[in-house]
Amino acid sequence: MKNLLVTGYRAHELNIFNQKHQGIPYIMKALENKLVPLVEEGLEWIITPGQYGVDLWAVEVAIQLKSTYPHLKCSILTAFQSQEENWKEDKQEYFRELLRGVDYYAPVSKQPYAGPWQFTARDELLLRKTDGILLVYDEDAGEGSPKFILERALKKQQQDGYEVIRISSEDIQSVADEEALGMDTFMDEMP
């Protein structure tokens, strides 16, 4: 696999409303845990739609991984021009900061938001340009926006072997439990 689409929940779908939320590091670690083996097996590009949530946390992880894996590249392909302009200022600044670390950025539609067709066009391009998807989504936890890309990815998987990799809420909880266990061990070893 050379090109991987990474996406998932929007932050508000996880009840995350700022970058200080305690759950973000666990989500990022779960992403890293799935990405590192893929990068070591030859993954070259991590591509996201750049929505605020899993998409941007994946970009942050990719940028961090580039120091260890300099061949790795990261791209954001948004649905339309200036998608972030209606975001709160802190989220806009976070987005602009991440843009400085990506290798490629472009809106699929060169105009501002004009309709849902822009998301469809973006998703079609992302699925066409990638060999697989890493999706943070848990159907058992309830439906969310990732449902639609998952349906299309599963159809593509049946048609031509597109790889579908998932991160569930259990995977993220496992990371949190490991981190807590590590902290407990650290605290036990202190004098």
Side-chain angles (χ1 to χ4, degrees):
M1 182 177 342
K2 299 290 183 204
N3 304 320
L4 181 69
L5 167 57
V6 183
T7 190
Y9 289 108
R10 307 299 170 250
H12 70 274
E13 292 175 307
L14 298 169
N15 292 318
I16 295 175
F17 300 102
N18 62 54
Q19 280 302 105
K20 295 180 177 104
H21 192 279
Q22 300 170 327
I24 295 172
Y26 302 126
I27 295 167
M28 290 175 61
K29 183 65 176 171
L31 286 164
E32 181 183 346
N33 289 347
K34 294 283 188 179
L35 288 170
V36 166
L38 297 170
V39 173
E40 290 178 349
E41 292 169 11
L43 180 66
E44 296 175 5
W45 280 92
I46 293 171
I47 304 168
T48 81
Q51 296 281 342
Y52 183 71
V54 169
D55 297 0
L56 294 185
W57 302 324
V59 169
E60 189 173 346
V61 170
I63 291 168
Q64 292 168 3
L65 289 175
K66 286 167 64 166
S67 63
T68 306
Y69 304 98
H71 74 278
L72 183 64
K73 306 234 183 304
C74 183
S75 172
I76 296 175
L77 295 176
T78 60
F80 52 90
Q81 187 76 38
S82 305
Q83 77 168 6
E84 76 285 355
E85 74 180 1
N86 291 325
W87 297 357
K88 290 185 178 179
E89 184 57 40
D90 61 323
K91 294 174 185 167
Q92 287 185 37
E93 180 54 39
Y94 178 60
F95 183 75
R96 287 190 293 265
E97 183 181 317
L98 291 176
L99 284 181
R100 290 191 278 276
V102 300
D103 299 284
Y104 183 78
Y105 163 70
V108 174
S109 170
K110 304 294 184 208
Q111 58 185 328
Y113 180 74
W117 62 268
Q118 291 168 307
F119 294 106
T120 303
R122 177 203 63 200
D123 292 351
E124 285 175 8
L125 177 69
L126 290 169
L127 289 167
R128 195 171 60 248
K129 294 290 187 183
T130 56
D131 308 308
I133 185 171
L134 173 57
L135 186 67
V136 178
Y137 182 57
D138 193 334
E139 295 117 319
D140 296 336
E143 289 188 0
S145 61
K147 169 188 173 188
F148 304 105
I149 193 84
L150 174 62
E151 289 171 354
R152 297 177 74 189
L154 289 172
K155 185 176 180 183
K156 186 171 169 67
Q157 182 182 48
Q158 288 178 334
Q159 292 172 345
D160 59 5
Y162 190 77
E163 191 164 345
V164 177
I165 306 165
R166 300 184 205 200
I167 295 176
S168 68
S169 55
E170 288 84 23
D171 295 325
I172 296 166
Q173 185 60 52
S174 176
V175 168
D177 293 345
E178 286 176 25
E179 296 285 324
L181 187 61
M183 184 55 79
D184 288 345
T185 304
F186 172 75
M187 296 301 278
D188 290 344
E189 293 173 357
M190 290 184 65

